[in-house]
Amino acid sequence: HKRPVGASWRMDETYIKVKGVWKYLYRAVDKQGKTVDFLLTAKRDMAAAKRFFDKAMAANGAPEKVAMDKSGANKAAIDAINAGRDVPIVVRQVKYLNNIIEQDHRAIKRMTRPMLNFKSFRSARCVLAGIELMHMIRKGQFASCGADTRSFADQFYAFAAQVRPV
């Protein structure tokens, strides 16, 4: 089971190359660096950012605060979400608050860089989901019986077998 995340999120996007074209990997972590959610999209616009926030909030609940860079599309997406809420989400566009997520991107980039390129968007989405899952297991975000005695790889295989039986 995925452990709950904090109410203060750091959100950013990074680039992933698919078929020689840059695509956008939206990611969010909480104040302690736990992964909230991720989404691979073809475009970097308000609709993609809103889709990411909707997905993240459906799985983890709404945050109290979101720190992000000066991206206008991300701010517009949060403004659109806040329009329908009684208690608005506080948006902080401070450059240095986002260092946690920028450093967290390094683990994903370290795994994808040797791959050089993904051949299809679908395969990129599936491989990135596995990489993110391993990263979350490594950070200790999952609670399972006997997790202390099993390696990260064994925990990954056990979780993958529950999600999609082989």
Side-chain angles (χ1 to χ4, degrees):
H1 299 284
K2 186 174 180 233
R3 293 191 171 124
V5 295
S8 180
W9 294 359
R10 274 77 166 132
M11 183 265 181
D12 194 27
E13 65 278 335
T14 187
Y15 302 94
I16 301 291
K17 201 175 261 194
V18 178
K19 276 189 170 175
V21 179
W22 291 108
K23 303 297 180 186
Y24 306 96
L25 179 64
Y26 284 88
R27 301 181 70 241
V29 298
D30 69 357
K31 194 182 219 176
Q32 287 77 33
K34 295 178 185 170
T35 302
V36 175
D37 214 338
F38 57 93
L39 178 71
L40 184 67
T41 63
K43 294 184 178 179
R44 183 181 173 211
D45 56 1
M46 187 189 111
K50 188 170 183 321
R51 196 166 60 247
F52 168 73
F53 280 117
D54 289 341
K55 179 182 179 224
M57 289 190 313
N60 300 291
E64 294 173 8
K65 300 179 252 186
V66 174
M68 62 180 70
D69 54 9
K70 301 279 184 182
S71 172
N74 297 341
K75 175 76 166 96
I78 285 288
D79 290 342
I81 291 169
N82 278 341
R85 293 176 49 93
D86 295 335
V87 179
I89 297 169
V90 177
V91 178
R92 298 182 299 173
Q93 289 186 306
V94 180
K95 186 162 100 174
Y96 302 108
L97 288 176
N98 242 16
N99 286 348
I100 295 170
I101 184 76
E102 295 293 349
Q103 293 303 311
D104 202 57
H105 286 326
R106 289 172 60 193
I108 307 306
K109 291 290 197 172
R110 188 182 72 234
M111 296 296 288
T112 59
R113 191 172 291 120
M115 296 176 197
L116 298 177
N117 209 344
F118 289 103
K119 301 300 179 205
S120 72
F121 192 83
R122 182 179 171 277
S123 67
R125 192 179 69 223
C126 293
V127 169
L128 288 170
I131 291 171
E132 290 280 1
L133 176 62
M134 276 300 290
H135 195 52
M136 285 189 266
I137 290 171
R138 191 171 293 123
K139 287 194 257 184
Q141 282 187 252
F142 285 92
S144 65
C145 296
D148 299 338
T149 60
R150 293 191 290 184
S151 70
F152 296 132
D154 290 337
Q155 291 177 48
F156 174 79
Y157 292 130
F159 181 76
Q162 291 173 0
V163 173
R164 191 179 74 220
V166 181

